[in-house]
Amino acid sequence: MRFAVVSQLISVALAARPYINEPDTGLETYLRSTNYTDGERPLLKDMRGIPDFEFAARQVMTDQQYAFYRTAAAGEWAYRHNLEVWKNVRVRPHQLVGVSGLNKTMGVTILGHNFSAPFFISPATRAAYGDPERAELNFVDASANENILYVAAMYASKTIEEIAAQKHNNTPNGPQVVFQQLYSNANLSVTWDIIKRAEAANAKALVWTIDAPSDSTRHRAARYDTANANGVTSDLTWDLYDQMKARTKLPIILKGVATVEDALKAVEKGVEGIWLSNHGARQVDYSPSPLEVAYEIRRNAPEVFEKTEVLADSGVRYGSDIVKLLALGVKAVGMGRPFMFSNIYGVEGPTKLIQLMKNELLHDAAQIGIADLHNIPSKVLNTRALERDVYLMDN
Ligand SMILES: Cc1cc2nc3c(=O)[nH]c(=O)nc-3n(C[C@H](O)[C@H](O)[C@H](O)COP(=O)(O)O)c2cc1C
Ligand SMILES: *[C@@H]1O[C@H](CO)[C@@H](O)[C@H](O)[C@H]1NC(C)=O
Ligand SMILES: *[C@@H]1O[C@H](CO)[C@@H](O)[C@H](O)[C@H]1NC(C)=O
Ligand SMILES: *[C@@H]1O[C@H](CO)[C@@H](O)[C@H](O)[C@H]1NC(C)=O
Ligand SMILES: *[C@@H]1O[C@H](CO)[C@@H](O)[C@H](O)[C@H]1NC(C)=O
């Protein structure tokens, strides 16, 4: 009888287990103890972790704007998976490892450009929803001040030229480095024109988004009739890659690589960089998390990590998420939504986010017993749960 009651309670609790988009780390409880009222922008000082910015943005953005940032494909199962999959890799903290030099290893070199940390701002459209006046200019300033990479989106609220004009001449590594994301267009002269503008703006690399062969199914955003930003796409093919390559001297990074086969093809083609991503789960439901893609590559073709530069994003919210991707061989990791949400604070928002993440990354890596972020021993990860599901190519 007693057992029955208990097991009933357990099943109720399990059934009610909410899907956790904004984990409860006490933000709302804390705010109730202040004079905060719902619908206000919380004080920036009360942002203690990356997910806090989503709560803050949800208070002040319109439903339509929030839906556009937050939306993902279809039932958003891949979106949830992006956030939850990290649990499949437990960390194995090794103690009594001297980590006092860790801070000096946080810098990273991406395509020859040095930055202060192995994470960056992913390209996302319509930053004006967060800050109508300054939009992406906040990302330019924050990434310059904190010396990290910014990847500007082709469909940004500001033009390529406005973003370029905002770049800082003096960062600790010289003039600010920005990469330019682009979608290809069925009318190729539009694509060639974007490439010309990116070159004129002194972008240091082109990021071609290859996971957008069509519009995508996004129920949450469709309710507000919010069009996809993907534009009109041509056939996305390796032939188009060759044509692009023939038109520009800039390195090209392929954004949206989701399988080891495509990673190997990119290596065969001599592609300078690949970006493991499911576009924040906005393109197709049940697409894999970059954690799984990185593991698939590590298990089938680990040489990929040596032969091309591997970036990743989708679902990264904590320092330990970054540690896991770096440990698998990824060079640097992006965040999309968190930066967009942080923009409701103007330049202070993304700046605080970067500072929070730098601290988390250092704390988490130190706690795990990592002395050098460039040489993370594989023994710090327990990947058994990924091994269960990993795709293995035929030998
Ligand atoms: C509002 C929004 C707009 C985006 N627009 C683009 C885009 O124009 N081009 C692109 O390659 N990726 C775009 N992305 C995807 C991001 O570059 C990135 O892959 C994704 O946000 C990472 O997942 P995360 O939001 O969980 O960090 C967008 C993402 C969001 C949230
Ligand atoms: C709340 O507001 C009142 C009145 O303005 C003020 O006296 C009090 O110090 C505030 N409390 C906090 C925690 O800020
Ligand atoms: C890491 O080093 C930088 C510069 O050397 C310093 O500003 C920062 O406070 C250090 N961070 C930690 C957590 O020690
Ligand atoms: C970039 O960093 C590397 C490794 O720390 C260093 O050897 C190199 O001199 C740096 N390059 C520039 C341009 O600062
Ligand atoms: C293709 O785009 C160019 C602008 O870059 C435009 O002038 C031209 O009319 C377009 N062609 C078609 C068929 O739409």
Side-chain angles (χ1 to χ4, degrees):
M1 180 63 196
R2 206 173 195 174
F3 175 77
V5 170
V6 169
S7 73
Q8 242 172 25
L9 282 177
I10 289 172
S11 67
V12 166
L14 286 179
R17 176 181 171 267
Y19 152 62
I20 308 225
N21 185 51
E22 296 164 20
D24 174 22
T25 56
L27 174 60
E28 290 179 68
T29 307
Y30 173 77
L31 289 177
R32 274 199 297 277
S33 76
T34 69
N35 284 337
Y36 177 79
T37 37
D38 286 353
E40 282 177 358
R41 192 179 73 173
L43 298 175
L44 182 61
K45 76 168 181 56
D46 293 334
M47 298 292 103
R48 301 291 178 177
I50 280 54
D52 289 353
F53 289 101
E54 178 161 358
F55 172 86
R58 198 158 50 75
Q59 306 306 311
V60 298
M61 295 175 78
T62 67
D63 289 348
Q64 177 266 323
Q65 292 172 335
Y66 174 73
F68 179 72
Y69 282 4
R70 166 63 181 77
T71 199
E76 303 186 341
W77 303 108
Y79 172 85
R80 299 175 190 203
H81 183 70
N82 278 354
L83 298 177
E84 295 185 334
V85 69
W86 309 101
K87 75 179 186 309
N88 291 342
V89 176
R90 293 281 154 186
V91 297
R92 304 185 62 246
H94 284 69
Q95 319 296 15
L96 307 182
V97 175
V99 294
S100 57
L102 181 62
N103 194 0
K104 293 197 180 59
T105 71
M106 192 156 66
V108 69
T109 308
I110 305 173
L111 296 180
H113 307 286
N114 286 359
F115 302 96
S116 70
F119 63 86
F120 57 88
I121 305 180
S122 288
T125 55
R126 303 190 204 177
Y129 284 176
D131 182 342
E133 290 289 315
R134 301 199 76 244
E136 289 82 10
L137 303 185
N138 295 325
F139 299 145
V140 179
D141 287 348
S143 57
N145 292 335
E146 288 294 324
N147 194 20
I148 68 164
L149 171 65
Y150 173 42
V151 183
M154 170 173 148
Y155 293 120
S157 303
K158 300 286 182 189
T159 63
I160 292 175
E161 292 75 20
E162 286 169 321
I163 289 171
Q166 189 69 20
K167 283 194 289 186
H168 296 211
N169 287 323
N170 293 305
T171 75
N173 296 103
Q176 182 174 11
V177 169
V178 170
F179 292 174
Q180 179 65 50
Q181 177 268 338
L182 64 94
Y183 289 109
S184 48
N185 194 293
N187 178 350
L188 282 179
S189 62
V190 173
T191 304
W192 308 147
D193 184 52
I194 294 287
I195 291 177
K196 275 213 190 84
R197 286 170 64 198
E199 286 171 340
N202 208 14
K204 295 299 182 193
L206 297 175
V207 171
W208 182 29
T209 303
I210 59 169
D211 61 6
S214 77
D215 278 353
S216 48
T217 305
R218 297 178 184 172
H219 299 168
R220 186 186 296 271
R223 298 183 201 292
Y224 301 91
D225 215 6
T226 311
N228 283 336
N230 297 349
V232 190
T233 48
S234 51
D235 270 344
L236 305 185
T237 59
W238 286 105
D239 176 63
L240 182 52
Y241 168 80
D242 290 338
Q243 291 185 54
M244 252 185 224
K245 202 64 201 158
R247 292 237 166 200
T248 184
K249 290 196 166 54
L250 287 177
I252 297 178
I253 298 173
L254 300 180
K255 177 173 183 283
V257 170
T259 61
V260 63
E261 295 94 319
D262 286 350
L264 281 168
K265 180 74 179 177
V267 166
E268 182 194 318
K269 287 289 219 174
V271 175
E272 285 94 347
I274 61 172
W275 185 323
L276 316 181
S277 173
N278 67 1
H279 208 118
R282 293 164 80 85
Q283 299 304 88
V284 63
D285 218 348
Y286 300 101
S287 48
S289 149
L291 184 71
E292 294 161 318
V293 181
Y295 189 71
E296 181 176 304
I297 295 173
R298 172 114 335 262
R299 282 292 274 107
N300 290 283
E303 70 275 12
V304 166
F305 293 106
E306 311 303 324
K307 293 191 170 164
T308 186
E309 298 205 9
V310 181
L311 309 180
D313 75 12
S314 297
V316 171
R317 301 292 182 268
Y318 302 93
S320 64
D321 301 346
I322 297 182
V323 168
K324 289 171 184 175
L325 289 168
L326 297 185
L328 289 171
V330 170
K331 199 151 203 198
V333 169
M335 284 174 280
R337 293 182 187 82
F339 278 111
M340 301 304 272
F341 291 134
S342 76
N343 210 27
I344 60 160
Y345 291 102
V347 67
E348 305 300 328
T351 304
K352 173 96 187 256
L353 194 163
I354 296 165
Q355 291 166 352
L356 284 172
M357 192 51 120
K358 281 181 175 173
N359 268 319
E360 268 193 30
L361 178 58
L362 283 178
H363 292 164
D364 292 353
Q367 290 287 343
I368 295 168
I370 295 166
D372 177 355
L373 281 168
H374 298 287
N375 290 295
I376 304 181
S378 57
K379 67 181 182 188
V380 303
L381 302 186
N382 178 345
T383 53
R384 284 287 292 280
L386 292 182
E387 184 63 21
R388 196 188 53 213
D389 290 335
V390 70
Y391 175 86
L392 295 175
M393 291 163 78
D394 292 334
N395 295 316

